Amino acid sequence: ASEQKQVSAAMAPVALEIDADVVASCLRVTIAYFLVYYGFIINQARTVITKRLAARGKDAKFERYYNANDPELLAVDRAVGNMHEQMGPFVTLFWLAAVFAPSAYVPLAGWVYVAARAAYPLIWWVGGMKKGHKPLIVVSTLPNYLVVTYFALALARRAF
């Protein structure tokens, strides 16, 4: 019976450390993140509607899903698409880090992520609204990958 009560350090559960200030800051980051996300979606819808209305009076056919022919449509689609693709890793690891590895750096890293993500369309535009490779886009995406890596490493450090 005493053997069953002993738990090795490797099997011990990770303690929750809820820091109210960290959680409040993380809530603000999350709200900002989703405001950026829905701002991108609204901009995408506005662009599609504008393009569709412009094509109505002309002989040109509006092709929504062949956006590579339209640099503006491609830009708004990539902003939404890239944000959506990275949403799962960011939101999941962000909140896991806030709960299981809380520090003042978690919300700060979240703000860095949101700022870099919000800059994505601007950086796309500065890099040129055309098809092809966009080397400047790493100014937005690289900080995002580094922040997600930071969260993952902070969690791994707590888990092992």
Side-chain angles (χ1 to χ4, degrees), residues 10-26:
M11 298 290 288
V14 176
L16 290 178
E17 296 177 23
I18 305 297
D19 181 324
D21 291 333
V22 169
V23 169
S25 294
C26 290

Side-chain angles (χ1 to χ4, degrees), residues 3-132:
E3 291 176 18
Q4 291 177 347
K5 290 183 182 179
Q6 287 183 332
V7 178
S8 72
M11 298 290 288
V14 176
L16 290 178
E17 296 177 23
I18 305 297
D19 181 324
D21 291 333
V22 169
V23 169
S25 294
C26 290
L27 286 171
R28 288 189 287 277
V29 169
T30 303
I31 290 166
Y33 178 82
F34 283 104
L35 287 174
V36 169
Y37 177 64
Y38 286 108
F40 284 4
I41 289 176
I42 289 167
N43 187 46
Q44 181 186 42
R46 179 202 56 81
T47 303
V48 169
I49 290 167
T50 302
K51 299 278 183 183
R52 186 167 287 159
L53 290 173
R56 264 192 191 166
K58 300 177 181 176
D59 290 335
K61 181 182 174 193
F62 176 73
E63 294 189 22
R64 170 69 184 97
Y65 295 104
Y66 297 100
N67 62 13
N69 297 326
D70 186 321
E72 187 180 4
L73 197 52
L74 179 60
V76 297
D77 284 349
R78 284 312 313 139
V80 171
N82 193 270
M83 189 164 187
H84 191 255
E85 290 163 3
Q86 301 302 318
M87 185 180 292
F90 169 69
V91 173
T92 303
L93 292 173
F94 175 63
W95 276 101
L96 285 171
V99 172
F100 292 107
S103 79
Y105 295 114
V106 172
L108 176 62
W111 283 118
V112 167
Y113 188 97
V114 171
R117 180 59 55 199
Y120 188 97
L122 176 63
I123 293 167
W124 184 287
W125 180 76
V126 168
M129 297 268 291
K130 58 183 183 246
K131 294 189 289 187

